[in-house]
Amino acid sequence: MEEPSKIVIKNLTKVFYKKESRVTALDRMTTTIKDGEFVCLVGPSGCGKTTLLRILAGLEKASTGSYQIVPSGKDRPLQSMVFQEKGVIPWLTVKENVAFGLKMRKLPKSIIQERTDYYLKKTGLNESASLYPKELSGGMKQRVSIARAFANDPEILLMDEPFAALDEQNKFILQEELLAIWTETKKTVLFITHSIDEALLLADRILLMSAQPGKIASEIQVHLPRPRTMEQVRADQGAAAAFMEIRKHLQDEVQASRE
Amino acid sequence: MKKTAVRFDPFKVEQEEWKRQQRKERYKKALTICSPIFVLLLWEFLSRTALIDPRFFPPPFEILKTFLAMGMSGELFSHIWISLYRIFAGFLLGVIPGVIIGLLMGLYSPVRHFISPLVMALMPIPTLALLPLIIILFGIGDMSKVVTIAGSVFFPVVINTAAGVLNIDAIYLDVAKNYGAGSKEYFFKIALPGSLPVMLEGIQMGQAIALLTIVAAEMMGATSGIGYLIWTSYKAFLLKEMFVGLILISFFGYLFSLGLRMLQKKLIPWR
């Protein structure tokens, strides 16, 4: 059975124009992401991954081309973003941060309370609900960011290297927690990462991007059964081959951009 | 025997170290408290022994006696009240428009581009240099002093408030936009709290300037206030009375700073 499309991207192009330079960050990018799919975007630095995410997040305008996030008909925001490390607002408490999107949408207090509490508990933050972010570790801060996005119950989730700044152990824990919440909600996720292991652990499909101008070079289906663990990823033949393929692609891209 | 035991128990070693740290902290605190007392005692000694001229630097104890005598007569308090009233009124009259215009400048770039050259051009002009003009416009009553203080307080507040808004990390703007904050929510949830720390620094600065200004403003064209007291005492060579005025200003400056620091802690608990 084929899942319906959730994100349809057609010929999306973004050029950064300045007096001295014109950079094509995205070049006629076209792809479709299915409902409930977890897609990782992997590519060399400066390949336009973040630009793509920012366009989908409504933070940047595409130069030409179009995209559509297919609404489900329920009262949901189109998308919510989990930002890199510093996205938690320091003058709001953990709870206020998690409730931020819901409050902005002016939902009834009881619903805000209920959803906030649910995701605080889910991410293990209920003990820290009234603390300010300065009192949290890096891992806890990213949990706040994730809880805020899920509590907002958007059509799709956008994640921009949410675990990049964490240490290895915390990263493993948060990846597992993210997978657990995702399995429960079955949200469509577009996730940027530099880590091949992370992509293999999380994704249904990995989109490989080429360096400037950014476009999709190839894609890899990850067939590992869920729920996954890092051990499975490491033990699986197919995953090992995929790892090498992605690694070679990234190295070739970096080499090519050097020459 | 005891010494070796201490040496080999790691907890004891660290406990000793911790105690040493605590002693150091206490010592530093004592230094902070001692320094003004030390200076006063030194002053008292030098003045009593006439190593410094007691006519110009009367001993602090004598100043205290003068203070009490002036307090008894009730005249001193009327000067204090009138000055405090002018300081507060001028301070508020400078801070409130400063904050409002500063926020508008920070939030709307056309406003910023229109107003900032005016602020930059007017800021270097000392309000005190305009005092004759202000007296002509507002008379020699309270209003001219209030306006002078307001004029001096306004600039650090407006500049810091605008800077406070502009220095908010761009990522919080992204978060607000991504989660659908309207302009009202953006103002109350992001711009106002985000600019508060820098804004309060500006208000703190404005407070110090208000005190500097009141004394000078009351020296010219005034018939009351602490500045007037300082000036007339000086002209009559009543230096003890003059020092009472100076020390009062220093005392209120300290008190206001303390109050604003406390307010700062209350308003920005997330720092």
Side-chain angles (χ1 to χ4, degrees), chain A:
Chain A
M1 192 188 87
E2 189 73 351
E3 295 284 342
S5 304
K6 192 72 191 173
I7 312 173
V8 183
I9 298 169
K10 271 194 198 135
N11 289 318
L12 206 65
T13 302
K14 176 71 182 177
V15 177
F16 289 105
Y17 182 93
K18 277 186 194 144
K19 205 173 178 188
E20 299 298 319
S21 67
R22 282 130 221 238
V23 178
T24 310
L26 287 175
D27 185 19
R28 282 162 293 156
M29 184 165 185
T30 300
T31 189
T32 302
I33 292 166
K34 289 188 295 249
D35 193 16
E37 199 175 16
F38 199 126
V39 174
C40 278
L41 211 53
V42 180
S45 308
C47 72
K49 300 173 298 228
T50 300
T51 306
L52 173 65
L53 223 62
R54 288 179 64 83
I55 292 172
L56 294 177
L59 299 173
E60 205 107 48
K61 274 205 184 98
S63 306
T64 55
S66 67
Y67 70 91
Q68 197 205 352
I69 298 165
V70 182
S72 61
K74 293 182 186 118
D75 177 29
R76 280 179 178 159
L78 282 182
Q79 42 75 29
S80 294
M81 183 138 159
V82 177
F83 290 85
Q84 288 181 16
E85 50 173 317
K86 274 167 46 203
V88 179
I89 299 169
W91 48 85
L92 300 180
T93 62
V94 167
K95 191 171 181 172
E96 288 166 339
N97 262 291
V98 174
F100 189 74
L102 302 169
K103 275 191 193 150
M104 293 302 111
R105 286 163 56 204
K106 302 195 177 67
L107 293 181
K109 277 222 169 70
S110 59
I111 293 184
I112 296 180
Q113 180 77 22
E114 182 196 335
R115 280 210 217 152
T116 307
D117 284 348
Y118 182 79
Y119 281 102
L120 280 173
K121 207 167 272 170
K122 209 76 214 156
T123 46
L125 287 165
N126 44 348
E127 301 274 309
S128 328
S130 55
L131 297 182
Y132 285 101
K134 68 163 178 189
E135 293 163 276
L136 302 182
S137 65
M140 291 300 252
K141 277 186 201 155
Q142 276 320 69
R143 285 189 178 90
V144 175
S145 234
I146 289 168
R148 176 172 66 192
F150 274 99
N152 209 22
D153 191 27
E155 298 285 352
I156 65 164
L157 282 161
L158 303 167
M159 305 199 183
D160 187 7
E161 298 187 52
F163 307 142
L166 300 182
D167 63 76
E168 201 79 351
Q169 274 63 39
N170 261 308
K171 199 184 283 189
F172 290 149
I173 297 168
L174 263 91
Q175 285 165 348
E176 276 183 26
E177 289 180 4
L178 173 63
L179 277 181
I181 303 176
W182 175 74
T183 312
E184 190 180 294
T185 56
K186 275 294 168 198
K187 291 274 175 210
T188 312
V189 179
L190 190 55
F191 187 109
I192 294 180
T193 179
H194 270 116
S195 156
I196 308 173
D197 277 331
E198 186 165 83
L200 288 168
L201 175 69
L202 299 174
D204 293 316
R205 188 154 57 107
I206 299 170
L207 299 178
L208 285 178
M209 286 185 70
S210 58
Q212 262 179 33
K215 51 166 76 176
I216 294 169
S218 62
E219 54 176 75
I220 292 168
Q221 289 285 341
V222 184
H223 292 295
L224 289 167
R226 294 184 189 270
R228 290 179 194 160
T229 61
M230 209 57 199
E231 287 78 7
Q232 273 171 291
V233 175
R234 285 263 183 259
D236 188 84
Q237 289 272 315
F243 184 96
M244 290 315 291
E245 189 188 335
I246 299 168
R247 192 180 133 89
K248 183 166 183 319
H249 166 81
L250 289 176
Q251 279 185 328
D252 289 350
E253 286 294 336
V254 173
Q255 280 297 336
S257 65
R258 265 193 203 159
E259 276 154 19

Side-chain angles (χ1 to χ4, degrees), chain B residues 80-108:
Chain B
I80 293 176
W81 285 127
I82 196 75
S83 281
L84 285 180
Y85 162 71
R86 288 165 182 165
I87 290 168
F88 275 116
F91 180 70
L92 289 180
L93 201 68
V95 165
I96 294 169
V99 166
I100 292 171
I101 296 174
L103 285 171
L104 289 173
M105 284 173 74
L107 287 167
Y108 304 106

Side-chain angles (χ1 to χ4, degrees), chain B residues 29-241:
Chain B
K29 241 179 225 154
L31 277 181
T32 308
I33 298 168
C34 282
S35 80
I37 296 175
F38 172 74
V39 170
L40 285 176
L41 284 176
L42 187 70
W43 178 359
E44 181 85 31
F45 170 76
L46 292 175
S47 180
R48 292 265 178 220
T49 53
L51 285 169
I52 53 173
D53 195 328
R55 285 172 305 170
F56 300 128
F57 299 99
F61 192 69
E62 292 298 318
I63 297 172
L64 184 69
K65 274 208 286 202
T66 311
F67 170 72
L68 292 175
M70 288 167 83
M72 291 297 198
S73 76
E75 173 213 359
L76 184 61
F77 291 106
S78 72
H79 285 305
I80 293 176
W81 285 127
I82 196 75
S83 281
L84 285 180
Y85 162 71
R86 288 165 182 165
I87 290 168
F88 275 116
F91 180 70
L92 289 180
L93 201 68
V95 165
I96 294 169
V99 166
I100 292 171
I101 296 174
L103 285 171
L104 289 173
M105 284 173 74
L107 287 167
Y108 304 106
S109 70
V111 178
R112 178 166 65 252
H113 284 98
F114 185 77
I115 293 184
S116 71
L118 300 176
V119 170
M120 293 303 155
L122 293 176
M123 190 177 55
I125 302 173
T127 334
L128 286 169
L130 296 174
L131 193 57
L133 203 59
I134 294 172
I135 290 174
I136 291 170
L137 288 174
F138 295 97
I140 58 161
D142 290 342
M143 204 52 202
S144 60
K145 281 88 205 165
V146 169
V147 169
T148 309
I149 292 173
S152 312
V153 169
F154 174 76
F155 289 100
V157 175
V158 78
I159 288 170
N160 271 50
T161 305
V165 179
L166 291 173
N167 285 340
I168 296 173
D169 201 322
I171 197 164
Y172 307 131
L173 288 143
D174 285 348
V175 172
K177 199 171 173 198
N178 186 254
Y179 284 86
S183 50
K184 190 181 139 215
E185 286 106 349
Y186 174 73
F187 178 77
F188 284 109
K189 294 281 175 186
I190 308 287
L192 192 60
S195 62
L196 213 49
V198 183
M199 188 200 297
L200 284 175
E201 288 301 323
I203 291 177
Q204 182 82 257
M205 226 186 289
Q207 174 270 124
I209 290 175
L211 279 165
L212 294 177
T213 311
I214 183 73
V215 176
E218 285 174 344
M219 282 181 180
M220 276 192 262
T223 51
S224 58
I226 300 175
Y228 169 78
L229 173 76
I230 293 171
W231 187 239
T232 47
S233 306
Y234 166 72
K235 281 202 292 196
F237 211 69
L238 299 165
L239 288 199
K240 277 181 234 164
E241 283 78 357

